[in-house]
Amino acid sequence: MRAHHPGEGQGTRPSVTEHLERVLSLAHPRVERDVPLDAAAGLVLASDVSAALAVPPFDNSAVDGFAVHASDLPAPGPWTLPVAGDVPAGSPALACPAGHAIRVMTGAPVDGADSDLIVVPVEQTSIPRGPHPLPQHVTINEADTSRSHIRRAGENVRPGTRIASRGTLCDAPTLAACVSTGIRTVDVFAAPRIAVVSTGSELVPWPGAVSGPQIPDSNLPMLAELAAAATGHRGTVQRFHANDAATDAADLLARAAASSDLVITSGGVSAGAFDVVRAVAEDEASGSMWFGHVAQRPGSPQGAGTFCGTPMVCLPGNPVAAYVSFVLYAAPLIAAHTGRTDRLRLAERPRVVAERAPGFPSTSKPGTTFAVPVRLRYDGDRAVAEPFSAATSSSFVASLAGVDGLAVVDKHSGPVHVYL
């Protein structure tokens, strides 16, 4: 079976944006229900989360100080009152008798039914800050009776209030919001299982020794690490290497597809006699693959679709082209598999607008996007993008060390957007 190749033979090539939409359409994140909160860290919420508890859960003091009745502080001051008790944080509230003061700590409960009650900060009293025995009397030197310094129960949220929406990353701030509102379990999108497959009989997986016309396989560790980072290091990444024998490659790709949510391949996507990925994918009867050229440099040959029922993205084999293509297409698809719906398209992604360093290459063909791995340097308020290599060859993998992002260039001059 030969898969349909839109635009081939018609002199047209899909743009980067068009191919990215094709890739993103493959995302089918899995949902896991009622996951304990500690196991959900780093995953994306699959359902809205509503508070089970109020925040604050009870009326409490916003400062270390003394609870008093505002009516006991007629102008002018200062005022000296006997101290009737002590309420550390975590202790039950004490009723404050008229004409008395109660020492309270930050977060300690106060009598919420007493509308006349205020808390005077310790700094406005005769008592030193810090640890100090409970005094028999306190002198209040000044007080603003219009400020209670009391945090009311439910002032932040009440039970039933939505505190996090579907699609929110369960990161540290979200965990804090969930814990504070009594949440124990959440629905999340499962961490994706990714299979990374490098192809080419000439490649020797690390740390094997190379000889003769062989070369080290740099694509496999590079793409595997990029895939792990794209999942927030929560997903699982399997590594496979296929030679150029069609039968062996077909068996390996089938195993990779059966054990993963997403397959990412490098190499074998063009029209060469040994471009095994394309040949195998086009022969897979239930597949729905597209192969063709995208209007970009480097990395024009691309593929995307489903193989054995599993989404598969096929990247070119030249290492720099593979890196560029991963950033453009595979990274957002992995993010979509984690449940993310934002920051997937170029216009939504974090980026730096940078000046071009001297000698920065420019696109040579109208309608073609030029993507360059760059290092950023900062000069005051100026960000300057320096290309990873003077020649910017798609095979110059040894020059990739230390790159900060990908500059996407679609015009001859002016600043460039560097996607981080």
Side-chain angles (χ1 to χ4, degrees):
M1 171 183 172
R2 177 173 172 81
H4 176 52
H5 300 166
E8 286 198 336
Q10 303 173 22
T12 60
R13 295 184 176 189
S15 67
V16 167
T17 298
E18 291 168 338
H19 186 57
L20 178 56
E21 290 302 320
R22 176 189 291 114
V23 170
L24 290 176
S25 71
L26 302 173
H28 298 289
R30 294 180 291 115
V31 176
E32 295 181 344
R33 303 289 182 187
D34 296 323
V35 175
L37 200 55
D38 58 348
L43 301 176
V44 173
L45 297 176
S47 302
D48 293 349
V49 178
S50 297
L53 300 177
V55 176
F58 47 80
D59 293 344
N60 68 88
S61 178
V63 296
D64 296 325
F66 289 84
V68 300
H69 292 281
S71 56
D72 286 332
L73 306 179
W79 309 269
T80 299
L81 301 172
V83 178
D86 207 8
V87 185
S91 298
L94 293 178
C96 182
H100 290 70
I102 297 287
R103 186 168 71 170
V104 295
M105 300 297 106
T106 301
V110 296
D111 186 356
D114 191 340
S115 60
D116 187 43
L117 201 68
I118 66 171
V119 177
V120 178
V122 67
E123 294 86 352
Q124 296 174 9
T125 74
S126 60
I127 305 303
R129 298 176 60 183
H132 192 277
L134 181 68
Q136 293 185 340
H137 293 82
V138 60
T139 297
I140 298 172
N141 298 316
E142 56 180 307
D144 180 358
T145 57
S146 67
R147 296 187 62 188
S148 71
H149 294 291
I150 294 173
R151 298 180 289 215
R152 297 298 178 184
E155 186 177 289
N156 182 192
V157 298
R158 298 182 180 277
T161 302
R162 184 174 63 184
I163 59 166
S165 301
R166 181 182 189 271
T168 300
L169 179 65
C170 198
D171 55 9
T174 302
L175 284 172
C178 289
V179 169
S180 69
T181 55
I183 303 302
R184 296 184 178 275
T185 65
V186 291
D187 299 336
V188 295
F189 292 104
R193 301 164 301 183
I194 302 170
V196 175
V197 183
S198 64
T199 66
S201 296
E202 77 281 10
L203 300 180
V204 177
W206 185 89
V210 298
S211 62
Q214 296 176 320
I215 59 175
D217 183 1
S218 59
N219 277 348
L220 191 56
M222 174 181 71
L223 297 177
E225 175 56 27
L226 286 169
T231 71
H233 292 277
R234 286 300 307 266
T236 59
V237 179
Q238 301 179 84
R239 303 185 185 196
F240 299 89
H241 176 72
N243 59 34
D244 291 331
T247 302
D248 293 343
D251 177 68
L252 185 145
L253 287 172
R255 287 191 287 113
S259 62
S260 65
D261 300 309
L262 171 64
V263 178
I264 300 171
T265 71
S266 64
V269 295
S270 194
F274 295 96
D275 282 327
V276 66
V277 171
R278 181 169 181 165
V280 168
E282 289 179 339
D283 284 341
E284 204 277 309
S286 63
S288 176
M289 294 294 299
W290 175 92
F291 289 97
H293 290 267
V294 177
Q296 69 177 73
R297 291 180 55 223
S300 178
Q302 299 286 337
T306 58
F307 179 82
C308 293
T310 300
M312 185 162 77
V313 176
C314 304
L315 312 180
N318 278 327
V320 177
Y323 172 82
V324 165
S325 300
F326 186 99
V327 174
L328 290 176
Y329 308 118
L333 178 57
I334 292 172
H337 265 85
T338 70
R340 296 297 295 263
T341 58
D342 62 332
R343 300 187 179 186
L344 303 179
R345 293 157 182 87
L346 285 176
E348 305 167 341
R349 296 191 207 175
R351 58 192 178 273
V352 171
V353 178
E355 299 178 15
R356 304 181 194 216
F360 196 98
S362 63
T363 182
S364 57
K365 293 183 179 180
T368 297
T369 298
F370 194 29
V372 186
V374 297
R375 300 177 185 90
L376 289 171
R377 59 179 174 85
Y378 295 90
D379 181 6
D381 294 334
R382 297 168 58 244
V384 180
E386 298 178 335
F388 76 106
S389 171
T392 64
S393 168
S394 62
S395 64
F396 281 12
V397 61
S399 296
L400 280 177
V403 297
D404 296 304
L406 189 67
V408 175
V409 184
D410 52 16
K411 54 186 178 180
H412 290 289
S413 61
V416 294
H417 285 187
V418 179
Y419 296 89
L420 306 176

